[in-house]
Coordinates of all heavy atoms in Angstrom, one line a residue:
F113 N 18.8 24.5 -0.8 CA 17.7 24.9 0.1 C 18.3 25.0 1.5 O 17.9 25.9 2.2 CB 16.6 23.8 0.0 CG 15.5 23.9 1.1 CD1 14.7 25.0 1.1 CD2 15.4 23.0 2.1 CE1 13.7 25.2 2.0 CE2 14.4 23.1 3.1 CZ 13.5 24.2 3.0
N118 N 20.3 28.5 5.8 CA 21.1 28.3 7.0 C 20.6 27.1 7.8 O 20.5 27.2 9.0 CB 21.2 29.5 7.9 CG 21.9 30.7 7.2 OD1 22.9 30.5 6.5 ND2 21.3 31.8 7.3
A145 N -4.3 26.4 5.0 CA -5.4 25.8 4.1 C -6.7 25.6 4.9 O -7.8 25.8 4.3 CB -4.9 24.4 3.6
I146 N -6.6 25.3 6.2 CA -7.8 25.2 7.0 C -8.5 26.5 7.1 O -9.7 26.7 7.0 CB -7.5 24.6 8.4 CG1 -7.0 23.1 8.2 CG2 -8.7 24.7 9.3 CD1 -6.5 22.5 9.5
I183 N 14.6 34.3 2.6 CA 16.0 34.4 3.0 C 16.3 33.8 4.4 O 17.4 33.8 4.9 CB 16.6 35.8 2.9 CG1 15.7 36.7 3.8 CG2 16.6 36.3 1.5 CD1 16.3 38.1 3.9
R192 N 4.7 30.1 3.5 CA 4.0 28.8 3.3 C 2.6 29.0 4.0 O 1.6 28.4 3.5 CB 4.7 27.7 4.0 CG 6.0 27.3 3.4 CD 5.8 26.5 2.1 NE 5.3 25.2 2.4 CZ 4.8 24.3 1.5 NH1 4.8 24.6 0.3 NH2 4.4 23.1 1.9
G220 N -19.1 12.8 -12.6 CA -17.9 12.1 -12.2 C -16.7 12.5 -13.0 O -15.7 12.8 -12.5
M229 N -5.8 17.2 -12.9 CA -5.0 18.4 -12.9 C -4.2 18.5 -11.6 O -3.1 19.1 -11.6 CB -5.8 19.7 -13.2 CG -6.5 19.7 -14.5 SD -5.3 19.7 -15.9 CE -4.9 21.5 -16.0
P274 N -12.3 35.8 -16.0 CA -13.5 36.6 -16.2 C -14.5 35.9 -17.2 O -15.7 36.2 -17.0 CB -12.9 37.9 -16.8 CG -11.6 38.0 -16.3 CD -11.1 36.6 -16.2
P289 N -32.8 33.7 -11.6 CA -33.2 32.5 -12.3 C -33.0 32.5 -13.8 O -32.6 31.5 -14.4 CB -34.7 32.3 -11.9 CG -35.2 33.6 -11.5 CD -34.0 34.3 -10.9
V337 N -24.6 23.4 8.5 CA -24.2 22.1 8.2 C -24.2 21.2 9.4 O -24.2 19.9 9.3 CB -22.7 22.1 7.6 CG1 -21.7 22.5 8.6 CG2 -22.4 20.8 6.9
P383 N 17.0 9.6 -5.6 CA 15.8 9.8 -4.8 C 14.8 10.7 -5.6 O 13.6 10.5 -5.6 CB 16.2 10.4 -3.5 CG 17.6 9.8 -3.3 CD 18.2 9.9 -4.7
I389 N 9.1 9.9 -11.0 CA 8.4 8.8 -11.7 C 7.2 8.4 -10.9 O 6.1 8.1 -11.5 CB 9.4 7.6 -11.8 CG1 10.6 7.9 -12.7 CG2 8.6 6.3 -12.3 CD1 11.7 6.9 -12.8
T401 N -9.8 7.0 -13.4 CA -10.9 7.3 -12.5 C -11.9 8.1 -13.2 O -13.1 7.9 -13.2 CB -10.4 8.1 -11.3 OG1 -9.4 7.4 -10.6 CG2 -11.5 8.4 -10.3
C421 N -4.4 0.1 -0.6 CA -3.4 0.9 0.2 C -3.0 0.2 1.5 O -1.8 0.2 1.9 CB -4.0 2.3 0.5 SG -4.1 3.4 -0.9
N425 N 0.8 -1.1 2.4 CA 1.4 -0.7 3.6 C 1.9 -1.8 4.5 O 3.0 -1.7 5.1 CB 0.5 0.3 4.4 CG 0.4 1.6 3.8 OD1 1.2 2.0 2.9 ND2 -0.7 2.3 4.2
E428 N 5.0 -3.1 2.8 CA 6.1 -2.1 3.0 C 6.7 -2.1 4.4 O 7.9 -2.1 4.5 CB 5.5 -0.7 2.6 CG 6.6 0.4 2.6 CD 7.6 0.3 1.5 OE1 7.2 -0.3 0.5 OE2 8.7 0.8 1.7
F491 N -6.9 18.6 5.7 CA -5.7 19.4 6.2 C -5.4 19.1 7.7 O -4.3 19.3 8.1 CB -5.8 20.8 5.8 CG -5.5 21.1 4.4 CD1 -6.6 21.4 3.5 CD2 -4.3 21.0 3.9 CE1 -6.4 21.6 2.2 CE2 -4.0 21.2 2.5 CZ -5.1 21.5 1.7
W510 N 11.1 2.7 10.0 CA 10.0 1.9 9.5 C 8.8 1.7 10.4 O 7.7 1.5 9.9 CB 10.6 0.5 9.1 CG 11.0 -0.3 10.3 CD1 12.2 -0.4 10.9 CD2 10.1 -1.2 11.1 NE1 12.2 -1.2 12.0 CE2 11.0 -1.7 12.1 CE3 8.8 -1.5 11.1 CZ2 10.5 -2.6 13.1 CZ3 8.3 -2.4 12.1 CH2 9.1 -2.9 13.1
K511 N 9.0 1.9 11.7 CA 7.9 1.7 12.6 C 6.7 2.7 12.4 O 5.6 2.5 12.8 CB 8.3 1.9 14.1 CG 9.3 0.8 14.5 CD 9.7 0.9 15.9 CE 10.8 -0.1 16.3 NZ 12.1 0.1 15.7
R537 N -26.9 10.2 -10.2 CA -28.0 11.0 -9.6 C -27.7 12.5 -9.8 O -26.5 12.9 -9.8 CB -28.1 10.7 -8.2 CG -28.6 9.2 -7.9 CD -28.2 8.8 -6.5 NE -28.8 7.4 -6.3 CZ -28.3 6.3 -6.7 NH1 -27.2 6.3 -7.4 NH2 -28.8 5.1 -6.4

Side-chain angles (χ1 to χ4, degrees):
F113 171 68
N118 298 313
I146 293 174
I183 56 174
R192 291 286 288 171
M229 296 297 276
V337 71
I389 294 171
T401 305
C421 288
N425 287 341
E428 184 69 24
F491 286 107
W510 66 268
K511 296 182 183 69
R537 294 156 177 82

